[in-house]
Amino acid sequence: MFAAVGALILTVRVASYGVVKGSRAFTLIGLLASVSVGIAMAFRARDSIQTAESAFGRALADAERTRDELADVNEDLARANAQIQAVNVAYADLLNLTDEQTHGRCAS
């Protein structure tokens, strides 16, 4: 990037030198070189933008895939939690029933 800016500055200076000295050749060479460097910089910038957009698209797709996987895992955990709670209730009911049938002798 700095080299391209440096080249652009140099070519503009050559064109300016041509104007100051009245040399049409230096002016045209400087202007043509400036345009060439400017066009090259524009193409390079476009390529950089496309690369960044592509990387962003991949990152977004990865994030969406990860979010979907997380949602699936959360659903599995919610089901497992419901099953654990059901087992806890069933054990509590069983212990209460046992306690009632033994008239509290199991609690001691």
Side-chain angles (χ1 to χ4, degrees), residues 5-69:
V5 172
L8 188 61
I9 291 170
L10 177 66
T11 58
V12 169
R13 283 186 165 182
V14 169
S16 299
Y17 177 78
V19 169
V20 169
K21 292 295 182 180
S23 172
R24 187 175 176 158
F26 273 116
T27 303
L28 288 176
I29 289 171
L31 287 176
L32 288 175
S34 296
V35 169
S36 298
V37 170
I39 290 172
M41 288 174 66
F43 281 127
R44 178 67 183 124
R46 184 190 60 163
D47 290 343
S48 296
I49 290 170
Q50 287 175 346
T51 301
E53 286 174 345
S54 175
F56 177 74
R58 285 190 303 273
L60 181 61
D62 289 344
E64 288 176 357
R65 195 170 25 260
T66 302
R67 186 196 54 175
D68 291 343
E69 291 171 3

Side-chain angles (χ1 to χ4, degrees), residues 82-92:
Q83 290 172 351
I84 290 170
Q85 288 176 353
V87 168
N88 283 341
V89 169
Y91 278 132

